[in-house]
Amino acid sequence: MYKRFELHNHTIESDGSLSAKELIDYMVENEVDAFALTDHNTISGHYKIKKILEKEKPPIECILGMEYTTYYGHILCFNLNEYIPWENIDKECAELLLGSIKKTGALAGIAHPFSYGAPIAQGCRWEMKLNDYSVLDFIEIINNPESLEANEQALMWWQSLCLSGLRIAMTAGMDLHRKDGFENKFAVYVKTRPGIGAQTALVRAIKTQKTYVTKGPVFEALLQKNTAVKCRIENIVKKGFDMQAVPFWTVEYTSPSGSVVRKLDKSEKMSFLPLSEFRDSSVIIVKLYAGEACMENLTAVAPVIYC
Ligand SMILES: [Zn+2]
Ligand SMILES: [Zn+2]
């Protein structure tokens, strides 16, 4: 089974307009399975959310988190159980802050890395130096309110890091500050089993780079007998995405030695590609487009394949 996660949300505890209760109700209304609370620089909403979940038992799970909002970039944390002071923040060494977040067992990643920086949005762009990527669990490759260009740069940065051999998961988020509407926005799906809590499922997915990012169907890519990549468009489709309006699908396979593109009829659900198509097939990233392969048509990114 796949669960849908909304991993970037704010409330009135920072600069959002929804209370903890309103955020829960909005997520439940929109059939979200689990959502993260990621207010800017505060965990004051944690106990409020926990109290409501315990008392009212809504059909949803919550990931407690925070967004460190610094002058040199924003860091998203999930499964954060304590506030970590950040007097050790250093623009020249992001490992210090990321490392202290991770020491507590939380997951840490970079939000909207290519957001406009100063003077339009002071501090939103990632400008910290990071040499040791092992302290980084994920990069938010799609921040829904960001421009197409900023998201494309984030996607390409994450892709190039993965192709260079680094193991970094991808996420997407609404960066929700008000009731924005979830239609045609990217979300994260995680493959899990009944009875496994959202926190555990998220940790497993992020630690193994097994998150699925999509605004339409969940898109799976698997290695077959070490000879081919098999891609499958799943029947799980995010609400609001019009499958009928897709003219055709384009599947783009990218390895360190280049990209190969395959077109599928809109009724086709599978695509196979022999590894022999690549000179270097050590890492393969597969993306799905509704139409030609361009950022406007990007629909889903499958978890990275390591051969
Ligand atoms: Zn931010
Ligand atoms: Zn945010």
Side-chain angles (χ1 to χ4, degrees), residues 23-74:
L23 180 64
I24 292 172
D25 290 347
Y26 189 52
M27 292 289 164
V28 171
E29 250 169 60
N30 285 282
E31 298 165 20
V32 175
D33 296 301
F35 70 98
L37 177 67
T38 56
D39 273 309
H40 300 282
N41 301 335
T42 179
I43 59 167
S44 57
H46 285 197
Y47 86 95
K48 296 181 185 173
I49 288 263
K50 278 201 256 182
K51 218 164 106 184
I52 300 166
L53 295 180
E54 276 162 27
K55 203 171 145 213
E56 300 181 15
K57 301 199 167 30
I60 196 158
E61 290 178 89
C62 180
I63 304 287
L64 298 174
M66 196 176 90
E67 184 177 16
Y68 279 96
T69 306
T70 82
Y71 284 124
Y72 323 120
H74 293 187

Side-chain angles (χ1 to χ4, degrees), residues 148 152 250 252 288-299:
L148 211 59
E152 185 170 26
T250 302
E252 183 183 33
L288 179 72
Y289 300 88
E292 298 292 344
C294 61
M295 194 61 191
E296 285 89 337
N297 296 337
L298 181 73
T299 307

Side-chain angles (χ1 to χ4, degrees), residues 8-136:
H8 192 158
N9 309 290
H10 299 277
T11 69
I12 49 173
E13 300 298 316
S14 58
D15 59 349
S17 66
L18 302 177
S19 66
K21 166 79 177 136
E22 287 165 338
L23 180 64
I24 292 172
D25 290 347
Y26 189 52
M27 292 289 164
V28 171
E29 250 169 60
N30 285 282
E31 298 165 20
V32 175
D33 296 301
F35 70 98
L37 177 67
T38 56
D39 273 309
H40 300 282
N41 301 335
T42 179
I43 59 167
S44 57
H46 285 197
Y47 86 95
K48 296 181 185 173
I49 288 263
K50 278 201 256 182
K51 218 164 106 184
I52 300 166
L53 295 180
E54 276 162 27
K55 203 171 145 213
E56 300 181 15
K57 301 199 167 30
I60 196 158
E61 290 178 89
C62 180
I63 304 287
L64 298 174
M66 196 176 90
E67 184 177 16
Y68 279 96
T69 306
T70 82
Y71 284 124
Y72 323 120
H74 293 187
I75 296 170
L76 277 174
C77 311
F78 305 135
N79 296 346
L80 186 76
N81 295 313
E82 59 185 282
Y83 182 83
I84 300 146
W86 37 304
E87 57 267 15
N88 60 358
I89 187 165
D90 185 343
K91 189 182 177 190
E92 300 304 316
C93 184
E95 288 88 337
L96 287 174
L97 179 54
L98 288 165
S100 54
I101 295 165
K102 287 180 58 64
K103 251 185 225 152
T104 69
L107 298 164
I110 299 169
H112 48 69
F114 292 91
S115 181
Y116 292 114
I120 299 161
Q122 179 78 39
C124 288
R125 197 182 184 96
W126 180 254
E127 289 174 328
M128 282 192 229
K129 267 205 190 111
L130 180 61
N131 296 306
D132 175 10
Y133 280 86
S134 70
V135 292
L136 186 67

Side-chain angles (χ1 to χ4, degrees), residues 254-293:
T254 306
S255 87
S257 57
S259 289
V260 175
V261 162
R262 288 282 180 275
K263 291 206 168 136
L264 296 182
D265 187 84
K266 67 191 232 177
S267 62
E268 281 184 275
K269 292 275 159 105
M270 300 252 212
S271 171
F272 288 88
L273 193 76
L275 293 183
S276 55
E277 294 270 346
F278 298 107
R279 196 167 30 81
D280 178 352
S281 59
S282 53
V283 187
I284 300 174
I285 292 170
V286 195
K287 301 193 277 299
L288 179 72
Y289 300 88
E292 298 292 344

